[in-house]
Amino acid sequence: MAGITDGPLDAERAGDLAGAFKALGDPVRLRLLSMIASATDGEICVCDLSEAFPLTGPTISHHLRILREAGLVHGSRRGTWVYYRAIPGELTRLAAILDADRPAPSRV
């Protein structure tokens, strides 16, 4: 995967990536993703996420929906609770696009 320093992004790829980066542009969502991605068992209950913020349940749900729609997390319902896990492939893709230390592909 080409990084951002390997050459200009085309409009389609830039639009695709912008949605994920936009989702991360909010401090609450960035913290939520960090909590989900670093959860001990690889997943965390929404009940544990909600306790970490002075926000209402609907507001937390809104932020989690944006992360889901951006393809950064997946939620699975178990009884009355939803458990979230990060989608590693998407996190790797976003990290790779910003990795300016990667060697540029050789151009012949």
Side-chain angles (χ1 to χ4, degrees):
M1 173 178 301
I4 202 156
T5 59
D6 296 334
L9 296 172
D10 63 39
E12 183 179 340
R13 186 155 184 236
D16 178 50
L17 290 165
F21 284 117
K22 183 177 180 181
L24 295 175
D26 181 277
V28 171
R29 290 192 290 269
L30 192 55
R31 285 187 60 209
L32 283 167
L33 181 61
S34 173
M35 292 172 70
I36 294 166
S38 66
T40 305
D41 295 328
E43 65 181 5
I44 189 168
C45 179
V46 69
C47 58
D48 295 322
L49 294 170
S50 297
E51 292 175 358
F53 298 91
L55 302 171
T56 65
T59 300
I60 293 295
S61 292
H62 165 76
H63 288 297
L64 290 167
R65 178 181 54 81
I66 291 172
L67 290 172
R68 276 193 323 272
E69 289 174 354
L72 298 170
V73 300
H74 172 73
S76 60
R77 181 168 292 283
R78 295 189 205 142
T80 59
W81 299 112
V82 177
Y83 288 78
Y84 287 91
R85 66 175 56 247
I87 300 174
E90 186 61 13
L91 300 181
T92 300
R93 182 175 82 102
L94 294 178
I97 193 72
L98 296 176
D99 188 358
D101 290 332
R102 286 178 329 139
S106 60
R107 292 184 170 93
V108 179

